[in-house]
Amino acid sequence: MQRVCFILKVKRERLAEYRERHAEVWPEMREALSAAGWHNYSLFCTEEGMVVGYLETEDFDRAREEMAGTEVNDRWQAEMAPFFENLPGRPEEGMVPLTEIFHLA
């Protein structure tokens, strides 16, 4: 199982709404993530808007490709895009995995 961690930056003035949106993630989005192989997926954030994501998956590239092919992901990403700073494209394209330097099992 691959452990993946990434960071994104939410605009500070949109952070409260970003948190609210994630308190009620659409059931069909949750189902699509699970079906695409996203497990133990968590998002954490600082008061300044730094978001740290963590998930476990068999193959991160495949999991992202599967999500990219879903209609619910297209809708979700379109709604989430305005929340972020300095993205090269859609939010999921900004999910660049961090290099793991230590793990204690």
Side-chain angles (χ1 to χ4, degrees):
M1 190 69 73
Q2 196 178 1
R3 290 184 310 279
V4 179
C5 184
F6 60 87
I7 57 173
L8 294 168
K9 181 75 166 94
V10 171
K11 297 173 183 171
R12 194 170 187 172
E13 67 273 13
R14 305 281 317 258
L15 187 56
E17 184 182 357
Y18 182 80
R19 286 179 171 150
E20 289 171 11
R21 296 279 187 104
H22 283 83
E24 297 183 18
V25 174
W26 308 330
E28 62 269 32
M29 184 63 171
R30 290 172 170 266
E31 291 168 12
L33 286 163
S34 293
W38 297 57
H39 306 290
N40 292 323
Y41 184 25
S42 297
L43 295 173
F44 304 87
C45 70
T46 67
E47 293 303 316
E48 291 75 35
M50 181 65 61
V51 173
V52 177
Y54 174 83
L55 67 119
E56 296 171 354
T57 187
E58 292 293 327
D59 182 332
F60 187 51
D61 290 334
R62 183 185 53 76
R64 284 200 297 186
E65 286 175 20
E66 286 191 29
M67 281 306 295
T70 65
E71 181 273 335
V72 69
N73 188 62
D74 287 341
R75 287 189 291 125
W76 182 265
Q77 298 303 335
E79 288 197 17
M80 292 296 109
F83 288 89
F84 296 100
E85 293 181 4
N86 305 319
L87 282 182
R90 291 167 45 121
E92 74 268 26
E93 294 168 350
M95 294 177 165
V96 177
L98 300 175
T99 301
E100 183 175 342
I101 60 170
F102 176 77
H103 175 72
L104 176 67

